[in-house]
Amino acid sequence: MPMNIRIGQGYDVHAFGEGDHVMLGGVRVPHGRGVLAHSDGDVVLHALCDAMLGALALGDIGRHFPPSDPRWKGADSRAFVRHCNELLRERGWKLGNADVTVICERPKVGPHADAMRTLIAGDLGVDIDAISVKATTSEALGFIGRGEGIAAQAVCLLVPA
Ligand SMILES: Nc1ccn([C@@H]2O[C@H](COP(=O)(O)O)[C@@H](O)[C@H]2O)c(=O)n1
Ligand SMILES: C[C@@]1(CO)OP(=O)(O)OP(=O)(O)OC[C@H]1O
């Protein structure tokens, strides 16, 4: 009997660099640092894309949007999410739900989480209740604890469209 659900997980890290904001879930979050990245460096959306691609066994974000390709320089990562959504729709799937955890000491993510959920849900054409965004610190431990970077991990479930 063919499987009627698929699961995927994704993880992304970017180092902090010069700047005054970070893009998280499509939301411009004010911060004393920016991130070093080829695109806009949105770890929430990159982890989500990798979860969606993983659920389809279609490789990873770097395969679909190579960092060597100048087209993706400074790219809005919401376009990556919409592309991944097309890939799953073409194959007869839609996102059932996704759960993303951001890991950083700062910025505070909680106040922006609902704005991220709204944008992600809109881009994927699903109800906001299908999208969870939450956060944790690293309790001052390791590279994240030292404020050197920001990470996100995501899981998602695909269901038949
Ligand atoms: N960047 C972050 C980190 C955490 N939060 C919120 O704070 C809560 C406590 O974090 P701990 O790491 O001490 O467990 C966490 O549950 C989040 O609600 C945040 O908003 N942004
Ligand atoms: C998103 C891409 C786009 O070129 O580049 P980065 O913004 O550097 O982000 P990363 O998470 O390293 O994923 C690789 C690339 O696909």
Side-chain angles (χ1 to χ4, degrees):
M1 194 164 86
M3 273 192 300
N4 61 1
I5 55 171
R6 307 271 303 196
I7 190 170
Q9 67 90 28
Y11 176 75
D12 193 36
V13 176
H14 282 282
F16 286 131
E18 282 185 19
D20 61 3
H21 72 278
V22 291
M23 295 304 296
L24 290 175
V27 175
R28 184 185 171 102
V29 177
H31 186 48
R33 315 290 311 279
V35 293
L36 302 175
H38 183 57
S39 69
D40 66 3
D42 191 323
V43 290
V44 169
L45 300 187
H46 294 181
L48 180 60
C49 284
D50 266 357
M52 294 167 72
L53 292 170
L56 295 169
L58 283 179
D60 56 38
I61 189 171
R63 178 173 134 194
H64 293 263
F65 309 102
S68 53
D69 189 332
R71 278 183 300 168
W72 314 127
K73 188 167 171 52
D76 178 349
S77 296
R78 291 177 66 188
F80 303 155
V81 172
R82 290 191 287 261
H83 179 80
C84 292
N85 200 39
E86 281 303 307
L87 293 176
L88 68 89
R89 295 269 177 178
E90 284 167 11
R91 287 161 179 76
W93 299 98
K94 66 178 181 183
L95 190 103
N97 74 298
D99 183 18
V100 184
T101 301
V102 185
I103 309 149
C104 62
E105 302 302 311
R106 280 186 176 40
K108 272 281 180 198
V109 171
H112 307 281
D114 282 347
M116 296 177 206
R117 294 173 64 216
T118 300
L119 288 181
I120 294 167
D123 284 340
L124 295 177
V126 299
D127 195 90
I128 189 170
D129 290 340
I131 307 296
S132 160
V133 176
K134 56 198 198 298
T136 186
T137 68
S138 191
E139 298 290 353
L141 298 170
F143 73 91
I144 288 175
R146 291 189 294 273
E148 295 170 7
I150 183 166
Q153 54 190 32
V155 291
C156 74
L157 199 67
L158 306 188
V159 296

